[in-house]
Amino acid sequence: MSLSLLTAEFHVERDEIRCIACQVCVRQCANDVHVYDPDDDRVYSDETRCVGCHRCATLCPTRALTIRCTPQEFRANANWSPSIITSVFKQAETGGVLLTGMGCDQPYPIYFDHILLNAAQVTNPSIDPLREPMELRTFIGRKPEQVGVVQDRDNMRLETRLAPQLVLETPILFSAMSYGSISYNACLSLARAAKECGILYNTGEGGLHPTLYEYGPYTIAQVASGRFGVHRAYLETAAALEIKIGQGAKPGIGGHLPGEKVSEDVSRTRMIPQGTDALSPAPHHDIYSIEDLRQLIYALKEATNYTKPVGVKVAAVHHIAPIASGIARAGADYIAIDGLRGGTGAAPTVIRNNVGIPIEMAIAAVDERLRQEGIRNQVSLIAAGSIRSSADVVKAIALGADAVYIGTAALVAMGCHLCQKCYTGKCNWGIATQDPYLTKRLNPNIGARRLVNLLRAWSLEIKEMLGGMGINAIESLRGNRDHLRGVGLNEVELRVLGIKAAGES
Amino acid sequence: MRDGRWEIDANGMHYRALNARLREAVENGAECIVLRNVCGQRYIGANLHRPVEIHIYGTPGNDLAAFMDGPRIIVYGNAQDACGNTMNGGEVVIHGRAGDVTGYSIRGGKIFVRDDVGYRVGIHIKEYQEQRPFIVIGGTAQHFLGEYMAGGVLVVLGLTLRPGECHTATYIGTGMHGGVIYLRGKVADYQLGREVASVPLEDGDWALLRQLVQEFAAHFNRDAEEILAAPFTKLVPLSSRPYGRLYAY
Ligand code: SF4
Ligand code: SF4
């Protein structure tokens, strides 16, 4: 074998005075970085294998470990960055497509960070959410053109028959993450948290584990091209169905769960033999047009007797506005749009880093287009693709979303350190792995608790921001771009976002 | 309705109304339902899951028997696209042709088509535990037959081909990583996807084929022995992990 030109990405610093050679790090690192030498009674490290996940440093009882980016530096070159050079090395050595996990980490502009929120001063009052009612409840689904009510005696009754709706107690859902790409304990944490918070989680294209059927009312079940685990009970148990066309991390690329991750349990949930590759190619070969999409939407509606919403998830790509218009007209009850920075368990690096558009632009363009066409009421919009904070939620909704999906943020709440190595199946935090030794590190009670805490905190913050603007219902924020101002954006960006620059009235 | 036998005249009916009637009949314990004057209505039999027999006269629309689990559907005419979409169990017998992506992702049950089928038939079909799907096509198929096939059995008999005429499908079994395809007659190597290989039939194959061909012959009043007298080609995937070496870790 020829010499590898790759050097370590991280530097493991062990404070020898603090280290008591207890070997916690040895047991915790699934990448076998730490090795105990009984002769010396010392722990050594092979840092070439370190992925920078901080598991060892977090668990070290004497805090003897510090993980740093390698001090090894290439000659400065603004064009040939170290990551580009090492990518070439890796491909020259393997001849393979480079894989990565999580969302795009490249320094494209993050428009959320160039948008500022408004607050009421003097001319209209702000609202104190701690003492006054504040409504975050959100309904996902098709809304009627008009609502008829009939008054009989003292009772008002809705005359219009509403299309099926999902009720969210806060405008946030957990985005699609399949059992297979994440561990059972991670799925269970999400399901429990969704139930406790009155929101929904999403099965991804991995089917539904038998023990999670009890969370059906809090479950969105995905139907992707490979149809893994899609059968009657699955369709009937979920609160909503979602046709997966694409995802932000890899628009135009399908799902591929490698055979080694198809454990016995995963195989049962996906309804495929153990150890086989689960291929979910990007094209659905029964969908080549909006009419074909309509056919699948209505197949699912027929199969569930029009009792639940059927949504469509797409990646944010250049022509997202007309695409979304087509999806709305095809009869979808909601459209989930996943932006450039959306996460994934595995994607070719080149795709993740180069394909798609940011969610801020996509959601603004779609909301605007649907309004122009007079069909915005026919469909709900869920924005996805790196919603990192409650401020991002508020900005996404003001740009036109009804609600947001969070994936990466939910994983981070459960302990993910964004090492981007999900595709290796060796997640030291027990999330993106099926190895029983690793999965037991995530206690589903604690995972659920941390997720519930995150949602509680974000919901309180959203109320504070709404109150500050003088708004008492999230409904009134949707598409309310007058509450947004841009900083550091050029005219075209402001136009696409549909917002004014800071200082403009 | 008489003795669990229902008749529904589908003439001019929207699919939604027709399927609602069908569901109503099934829920009321119908054992045999006859649909007359069917003309393009979609989703007939979608998600039905009781052992009921449905006779369809006319041309059912796309997604016939989608997600179905148990019923038996007999079509006296042609079926359109995506017949048997994600079907879990049951049987569909078509006295005519069927369109593209017939049997998309079926996981169980049987589909018999008397004549030819369209493109990408048997795509994503898979087997799971005791569930094993079977598709038997009397005629010939278009390109990408058995694409991404992950399990199950696909049989193409070529009975509509004239003497000396061959199957013309190409990219057969592209992305295939499970299951088996039997084609009556020969196919050239260029017609096969990169992920499949042609291997000789063994005794077990003939036993399975005989059983399926006999069923086919019984449905369509053909002579099973005559069909079985011709040579067959057996196609299997080269690997259950066709894309295992594509990536750098
Ligand atoms: S991979 Fe994680 S656990 Fe292992 S040495 Fe690096 S930071 Fe520590
Ligand atoms: S889920 Fe695990 S493997 Fe993936 S980025 Fe987070 S910590 Fe790393």
Side-chain angles (χ1 to χ4, degrees), chain A residues 12 29 31 33-34 49-57 67 428:
Chain A
V12 179
C29 181
N31 297 308
V33 170
H34 307 283
R49 298 157 176 270
C50 177
V51 301
C53 75
H54 288 189
R55 178 77 189 178
C56 56
I67 309 296
N428 272 326

Side-chain angles (χ1 to χ4, degrees), chain A residues 17-354:
Chain A
I17 295 170
R18 289 185 173 205
C19 180
I20 51 171
C22 69
Q23 301 172 55
V24 163
C25 53
V26 179
R27 288 188 293 275
Q28 289 297 324
C29 181
N31 297 308
D32 299 326
V33 170
H34 307 283
V35 187
Y36 176 67
D37 184 333
D39 295 337
D40 297 357
D41 188 30
R42 271 183 66 180
V43 182
Y44 295 96
S45 8
D46 172 5
E47 43 209 5
T48 55
R49 298 157 176 270
C50 177
V51 301
C53 75
H54 288 189
R55 178 77 189 178
C56 56
T58 311
L59 268 78
C60 174
T62 60
R63 293 184 298 285
L65 288 168
T66 309
I67 309 296
R68 295 186 190 285
C69 287
T70 180
Q72 195 78 16
E73 284 176 3
F74 285 88
R75 185 193 175 99
N77 189 323
N79 186 30
W80 287 90
S81 67
S83 78
I84 292 177
I85 296 172
T86 50
S87 292
V88 172
F89 287 163
K90 229 184 250 176
Q91 296 195 295
E93 284 169 23
T94 63
V97 171
L98 297 176
L99 278 185
T100 188
M102 304 316 280
C104 176
D105 61 0
Q106 300 298 297
Y108 298 112
I110 296 168
Y111 289 99
F112 283 136
D113 296 343
H114 291 267
I115 296 176
L116 296 171
L117 297 171
N118 196 23
Q121 298 290 295
V122 185
T123 52
N124 59 336
S126 50
I127 298 170
D128 178 355
L130 297 179
R131 273 158 284 273
E132 293 180 64
M134 182 69 75
E135 186 68 64
L136 292 192
R137 185 174 291 168
T138 302
F139 295 87
I140 299 293
R142 168 179 291 247
K143 308 295 184 294
E145 301 296 327
Q146 52 193 29
V147 201
V149 281
V150 278
Q151 174 109 34
D152 36 46
R153 300 248 181 97
D154 305 330
N155 280 334
M156 290 265 270
R157 199 161 46 76
L158 204 57
E159 196 184 34
T160 315
R161 259 190 65 188
L162 293 178
Q165 307 280 326
L166 296 176
V167 186
L168 310 174
E169 294 306 325
T170 193
I172 302 169
L173 308 92
F174 296 133
S175 61
M177 289 175 275
S178 69
Y179 176 39
S181 76
I182 59 170
S183 64
Y184 173 76
N185 283 352
C187 293
L188 181 58
S189 304
L190 290 164
R192 282 191 186 162
K195 182 175 179 184
E196 194 171 332
C197 297
I199 62 161
L200 289 97
Y201 82 106
N202 187 315
T203 62
E205 42 189 316
L208 188 56
H209 193 276
T211 57
L212 296 180
Y213 272 78
E214 60 176 290
Y215 299 95
Y218 309 97
T219 306
I220 296 178
Q222 251 190 10
V223 175
S225 64
R227 303 280 202 274
F228 297 113
V230 178
H231 66 307
R232 189 167 59 83
Y234 177 78
L235 299 177
E236 289 179 357
T237 304
L241 304 173
E242 181 174 286
I243 298 168
K244 184 204 170 180
I245 300 290
Q247 77 184 85
K250 41 179 172 178
I253 299 282
H256 176 182
L257 190 71
E260 54 261 27
K261 286 198 192 172
V262 182
S263 64
E264 196 194 333
D265 207 37
V266 170
S267 104
R268 254 184 279 138
T269 306
R270 294 203 175 212
M271 303 176 87
I272 51 167
Q274 196 177 336
T276 54
D277 280 10
L279 301 178
S280 218
H284 286 239
H285 281 298
D286 55 344
I287 302 179
Y288 288 177
S289 65
I290 291 293
E291 289 72 24
D292 289 349
L293 176 65
R294 183 180 180 83
Q295 179 179 321
L296 185 58
I297 290 173
Y298 277 86
L300 293 169
K301 290 190 177 194
E302 276 289 333
T304 52
N305 202 9
Y306 301 86
T307 52
K308 51 192 72 176
V310 176
V312 175
K313 178 174 178 178
V314 283
V317 290
H318 298 183
H319 296 293
I320 189 64
I323 292 166
S325 161
I327 297 171
R329 290 171 192 283
D333 294 279
Y334 73 83
I335 309 173
I337 303 171
D338 196 11
L340 172 71
R341 297 186 303 271
T344 178
T349 313
V350 69
I351 303 290
R352 185 197 74 173
N353 289 353
N354 294 284

Side-chain angles (χ1 to χ4, degrees), chain A residues 51-54 101-103 181-182 344-345 408 411-412 415-433:
Chain A
V51 301
C53 75
H54 288 189
M102 304 316 280
S181 76
I182 59 170
T344 178
T408 305
L411 297 188
V412 171
C416 163
H417 277 56
L418 281 167
C419 70
Q420 308 189 16
K421 293 287 176 185
C422 321
Y423 62 96
T424 63
K426 289 192 199 162
C427 174
N428 272 326
W429 292 93
I431 299 169
T433 175

Side-chain angles (χ1 to χ4, degrees), chain A residues 90-91 94-99 161 223-232 235-236 256 258-260 267-273 275-286 288 291-292 294-306 348 421 423-424, chain B residues 14-20 23 27 42-44 46-50 61-64 66-69 81-82 85-88 100-101 104-105 107 119-120 123-124 126-129 131 144 147-148 150-151 175-178 240-249:
Chain A
K90 229 184 250 176
Q91 296 195 295
T94 63
V97 171
L98 297 176
L99 278 185
R161 259 190 65 188
V223 175
S225 64
R227 303 280 202 274
F228 297 113
V230 178
H231 66 307
R232 189 167 59 83
L235 299 177
E236 289 179 357
H256 176 182
E260 54 261 27
S267 104
R268 254 184 279 138
T269 306
R270 294 203 175 212
M271 303 176 87
I272 51 167
T276 54
D277 280 10
L279 301 178
S280 218
H284 286 239
H285 281 298
D286 55 344
Y288 288 177
E291 289 72 24
D292 289 349
R294 183 180 180 83
Q295 179 179 321
L296 185 58
I297 290 173
Y298 277 86
L300 293 169
K301 290 190 177 194
E302 276 289 333
T304 52
N305 202 9
Y306 301 86
K421 293 287 176 185
Y423 62 96
T424 63
Chain B
H14 188 267
Y15 67 74
R16 197 166 164 178
L18 175 59
N19 291 321
R23 268 195 293 272
E27 274 158 26
R42 294 176 170 185
Y43 319 119
I44 295 176
N47 207 26
L48 291 183
H49 49 92
R50 300 240 172 98
N62 295 348
D63 274 326
L64 172 72
F67 310 105
M68 189 177 85
D69 194 7
D81 294 342
N85 184 353
T86 324
M87 185 171 113
N88 203 53
D100 297 341
V101 290
Y104 187 124
S105 199
R107 190 186 297 116
Y119 293 86
R120 297 197 143 101
I123 180 171
H124 287 301
K126 39 181 76 85
E127 60 193 53
Y128 168 66
Q129 292 179 346
Q131 279 175 277
F144 289 98
E147 192 183 18
Y148 300 112
M176 182 172 174
H177 53 290
S240 67
R241 305 278 323 273
Y243 304 109
R245 278 179 37 81
L246 202 57
Y247 302 108
Y249 281 84

